């Protein structure tokens, strides 16, 4: 099996690393990554899910090396500001750590407490930890372990470079820098047989993984697999991105991604160890480029200062929300933006790369007959996953009470909500989201994620007395009180994000 990956960046090299770590001792499997020297990686996608910890560990990259090399920091979830009403006190968290008593009983305890505080704050200590800019673990905690669940914020460009070095030096991935001038096909089977390059001749393969970005050189341009446009469900089509320096070297580092609703979209604010990554995702039909850029600069001025806001170098990126009609066609499978993209809300892009590469790794077909079966299963699984991403992202808009601009009036309209999401919202009028609403074992967003967003945005579930029987008034009060005790404990014992990252920068934690 000769596997050829077209395209580098985070998607290509992460895929290469996941496959190579599994098959580096198998002489029958070779992995060859080909990327153009003339195509720069996009360099955005600075948030990961907790799954990245397992991925990096399996690949063989030390967490301390990753933190140092990628200007990375610890991410413990997302904070949403202004999404529900737009008022000054409008905010909620979607933390990575599940409630202490995950599932329905945590909802029942919160409901029995008369909802005196936001749901996530009532059932998890992590929002308070994030609000205090604390790390998810102590300085002596081993690599990839945590007191609280966490992912990362990272510099995507540096991440791609680290993965490239590790894959080529430690995992025996062959790397070719060259431009692909033609795709060679077998006339009988229509399978790709090789990539014609300008300087290295034909690079042959049995399985080709398209990580060429939104261009989709293999899946789109060669195989003509249609792109399913989802702009009727997700209207944001442009992102402005900027690097924002810290005012002082010891400024606190955010423990969460801060997503703030704006007049025509939302801004992200990500704290790395060396800088912040800030951007504005918006719908161009409601806002021109100059107005959008001013919105971004105004946000930076409020959160940094006027001089930094004025000096910003702003980069524009087009967003075409949607996905391929097929993700695996013949002997070609698309991963990353070649497969699709919606918007960066909830940072699902790198998680989808991990899931795609993991499935290719675990189901790697060793015959042409097996490839047909694996391709069909892959397509069914990822069609389901793209539908769930669309619906979960849409949930953040559908629940909003904002109607203050044309953008918010349109993005919250019933016409922009899928029937399945509409049905679920109807069910959730009488009960909380549960495991019966989601069909796969490995769900992108489990029921608790829906609960965090639903009740964070003030959704009113009319619980019956019978449905709340697992919680008495006294046990509910004890549950809520136990969270307060956890918060106090974490605040007393956890270092700040900055303190832990500074320590890692000076010490090799693999020796602890």
């Amino acid at each position: 099996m000769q596997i050829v990956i077209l395209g580098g960046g985070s998607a290509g090299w992460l895929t290469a690393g996941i496959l190579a770590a599994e098959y580096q001792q198998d002489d029958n499997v070779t992995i060859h990554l080909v990327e153009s020297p003339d195509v720069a990686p996009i360099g955005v996608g600075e948030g990961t899910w907790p799954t990245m910890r397992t991925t990096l560990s399996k690949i063989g990259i030390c967490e301390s090396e990753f933190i140092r090399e990628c200007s990375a920091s610890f991410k413990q979830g997302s904070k949403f500001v202004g999404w529900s009403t737009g008022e000054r006190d409008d905010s909620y968290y979607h933390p990575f750590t599940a409630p202490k008593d995950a599932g329905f009983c945590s909802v029942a305890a919160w409901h029995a407490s008369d909802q005196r505080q936001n749901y996530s704050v009532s059932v998890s200590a992590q929002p308070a930890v994030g609000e205090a800019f604390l790390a998810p673990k102590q300085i002596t905690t081993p690599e990839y372990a945590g007191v609280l669940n966490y992912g990362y914020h990272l510099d995507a460009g540096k991440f791609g470079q680290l993965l490239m070095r590790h894959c080529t030096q430690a995992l025996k991935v062959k790397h070719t820098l060259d431009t692909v001038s033609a795709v060679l096909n077998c006339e009988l089977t229509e399978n790709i047989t090789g990539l014609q390059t300008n300087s290295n001749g034909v690079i042959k393969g049995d399985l080709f993984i398209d990580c060429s970005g939104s261009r989709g050189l293999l899946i789109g341009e060669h195989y003509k697999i249609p792109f399913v446009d989802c702009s009727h469900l997700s209207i944001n089509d442009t992102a402005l991105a900027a690097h924002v320096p810290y005012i002082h070297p010891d400024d606190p580092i955010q423990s969460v991604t801060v997503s703030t609703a704006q007049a025509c979209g939302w801004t992200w604010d990500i704290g790395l160890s060396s800088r912040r990554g800030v951007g504005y995702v918006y719908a161009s039909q409601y806002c021109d480029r100059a107005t959008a850029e001013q919105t971004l600069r105004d946000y930076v001025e409020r959160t940094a200062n006027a001089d930094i806001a004025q000096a910003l170098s702003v980069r524009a990126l087009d967003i075409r929300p949607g996905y391929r009609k097929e993700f695996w066609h013949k002997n070609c499978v698309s991963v990353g933006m070649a497969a699709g993209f919606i918007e960066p809300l909830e940072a699902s892009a790198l998680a989808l790369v991990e899931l795609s590469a993991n499935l290719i790794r675990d189901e790697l077909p060793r015959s042409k007959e097996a490839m047909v079966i694996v391709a069909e299963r892959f397509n069914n699984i990822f069609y389901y996953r793209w539908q769930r991403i669309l619906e979960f992202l849409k949930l953040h808009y559908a629940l909003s009470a904002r109607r203050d601009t044309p953008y918010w009036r349109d993005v919250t309209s019933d016409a922009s909500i899928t029937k399945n999401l509409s049905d679920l919202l109807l069910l959730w009028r009488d009960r909380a989201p549960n495991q019966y609403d989601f069909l796969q074992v490995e769900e992108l967003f489990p029921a608790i994620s829906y609960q965090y967003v639903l009740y964070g945005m003030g959704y009113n579930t009319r619980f019956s007395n019978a449905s709340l029987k697992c919680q008495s008034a006294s046990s509910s009060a004890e549950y809520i009180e136990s969270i307060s005790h956890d918060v106090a404990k974490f605040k007393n014992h956890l270092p700040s994000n900055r303190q832990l990252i500074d320590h890692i920068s000076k010490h090799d934690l693999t020796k602890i």
Side-chain angles (χ1 to χ4, degrees):
M1 171 67 71
Q2 298 180 74
I3 302 172
V4 177
I5 301 171
L6 177 60
S10 297
W13 286 111
L14 196 54
T15 301
I18 289 170
L19 296 177
E22 179 74 14
Y23 295 106
Q24 62 178 318
Q25 304 302 325
D26 189 340
D27 293 334
N28 294 316
V29 177
T30 61
I31 299 168
H32 190 168
L33 188 144
V34 183
E35 63 177 329
S36 171
D38 303 319
V39 178
I42 293 176
V44 295
E46 297 179 322
T48 81
W49 291 2
T51 52
M52 187 61 72
R53 291 154 59 194
T54 301
T55 296
L56 293 176
S57 179
K58 285 185 175 180
I59 287 176
I61 294 176
C62 296
E63 186 175 44
S64 53
E65 178 189 14
F66 163 72
I67 294 291
R68 289 192 297 265
E69 294 293 322
C70 300
S71 299
S73 65
F74 299 102
K75 173 183 176 180
Q76 299 186 59
S78 297
K79 178 181 180 181
F80 294 91
V81 179
W83 285 75
S84 183
T85 63
E87 301 297 328
R88 290 176 63 87
D89 61 346
D90 175 16
S91 69
Y92 72 95
Y93 277 82
H94 175 197
F96 283 149
T97 299
K100 215 172 189 180
D101 186 0
F104 174 71
C105 284
S106 61
V107 178
W110 169 71
H111 188 273
S113 71
D114 298 324
Q115 303 106 65
R116 287 168 291 183
Q117 58 185 1
N118 194 279
Y119 173 68
S120 62
V121 175
S122 297
V123 302
S124 171
Q126 199 155 35
V129 169
E131 199 72 15
F133 297 87
L134 298 180
K137 59 182 178 178
Q138 296 170 311
I139 287 174
T140 55
T141 306
E143 291 206 332
Y144 295 121
V147 176
L148 293 163
N149 200 16
Y150 68 91
Y152 305 101
H153 290 138
L154 55 85
D155 184 309
K158 292 179 179 180
F159 185 46
Q161 290 297 311
L162 172 64
L163 289 170
M164 178 186 70
R165 290 196 302 272
H166 185 75
C167 287
T168 55
Q169 295 173 11
L171 298 178
K172 300 188 293 188
V173 174
K174 187 175 181 180
H175 181 209
T176 297
L177 275 173
D178 204 346
T179 300
V180 173
S181 57
V183 180
L184 308 181
N185 229 45
C186 172
E187 292 186 5
L188 180 63
T189 64
E190 296 184 348
N191 282 337
I192 298 172
T193 57
L195 305 179
Q196 179 69 55
T197 64
N198 287 348
S199 304
N200 289 272
V202 175
I203 296 175
K204 296 181 179 180
D206 300 300
L207 176 67
F208 292 81
I209 302 177
D210 190 348
C211 296
S212 64
S214 56
R215 178 183 177 187
L217 193 150
L218 302 181
I219 199 74
E221 293 187 9
H222 176 71
Y223 275 128
K224 311 296 183 187
I225 300 301
F227 184 84
V228 179
D229 188 289
C230 297
S231 57
H232 60 297
L233 301 173
S234 180
I235 64 176
N236 295 328
D237 60 4
T238 311
L240 303 180
H243 295 172
V244 178
Y246 289 111
I247 299 174
H248 304 291
D250 59 350
D251 279 349
I253 299 173
Q254 285 279 3
S255 297
V256 294
T257 298
V258 181
S259 302
T260 303
Q262 305 290 348
C264 301
W266 59 275
T267 51
W268 76 76
D269 194 340
I270 288 174
L272 305 183
S273 62
S274 58
R275 62 167 174 82
R276 291 160 57 200
V278 180
Y280 184 24
V281 180
Y282 68 97
S284 61
Q285 62 179 302
Y286 303 93
C287 179
D288 60 34
R289 166 68 185 273
T291 303
E293 188 169 317
Q294 189 58 52
T295 299
L296 181 60
R297 293 184 189 277
D298 289 344
Y299 176 84
V300 172
E301 182 173 348
R302 291 194 303 272
T303 58
N305 62 41
D307 291 339
I308 290 176
Q310 185 62 33
L312 279 186
S313 176
V314 179
R315 179 185 178 193
L317 303 165
D318 293 330
I319 297 174
R320 187 186 179 197
Y323 53 86
R324 297 289 170 185
K325 188 175 182 180
E326 289 182 69
F327 310 102
W328 192 320
H329 183 76
K330 301 295 183 178
N331 65 335
C332 171
V333 54
S334 56
V335 175
M337 292 187 70
F341 186 72
I342 305 299
E343 62 166 304
L345 191 69
E346 295 284 7
S348 59
L350 287 178
L352 276 171
V353 172
E354 293 177 88
L355 287 167
S356 299
N358 288 342
L359 187 52
I360 296 169
R361 175 198 65 200
D362 296 341
E363 296 290 315
L364 188 67
R366 299 304 183 104
S367 68
K368 294 176 182 177
E369 294 79 10
M371 189 173 294
V372 173
I373 299 170
V374 171
E376 182 178 7
R377 295 178 65 183
F378 188 98
N379 286 331
N380 289 337
I381 289 170
F382 277 89
Y383 174 78
Y384 175 88
R385 285 175 171 164
W386 279 99
Q387 293 304 304
R388 300 293 78 73
I389 288 173
L390 271 168
E391 291 177 354
F392 187 67
L393 299 189
K394 189 63 191 179
L395 185 68
H396 297 68
Y397 299 94
L399 297 174
S400 178
R402 293 189 61 161
R403 301 293 186 272
D404 50 304
T405 66
Y407 171 87
W408 284 102
R409 288 192 287 275
D410 288 349
V411 81
T412 55
S413 68
D414 291 341
S416 67
I417 301 173
T418 64
K419 182 181 185 304
N420 185 63
L421 179 57
S422 181
D423 290 346
L424 287 172
L425 287 171
L426 182 62
L427 290 176
W428 296 337
R429 282 293 180 194
D430 299 304
R431 64 163 175 84
N434 61 38
Q435 69 273 21
Y436 300 113
D437 299 322
F438 310 102
L439 304 178
Q440 288 194 4
V441 173
E442 196 174 30
E443 283 285 346
L444 280 165
F445 301 102
I448 185 58
S449 290
Y450 283 83
Q451 291 174 14
Y452 278 135
V453 177
L454 272 182
Y455 302 122
M457 295 192 70
Y459 194 78
N460 182 27
T461 298
R462 301 180 293 254
F463 294 105
S464 65
N465 290 332
S467 68
L468 295 173
K469 63 184 178 182
C470 70
Q471 288 287 338
S472 65
S474 60
S475 64
S476 296
E478 290 172 3
Y479 181 94
I480 301 299
E481 183 63 24
S482 72
I483 302 300
S484 298
H485 289 158
D486 289 344
V487 169
K489 178 180 64 177
F490 291 142
K491 285 186 175 180
N492 285 332
H493 294 96
L494 289 176
S496 71
N497 234 0
R498 172 71 71 186
Q499 288 172 327
L500 181 54
I501 291 166
D502 285 349
H503 180 84
I504 291 172
S505 298
K506 299 173 184 176
H507 302 84
D508 186 353
L509 298 190
T510 61
K511 298 178 180 178
I512 293 179

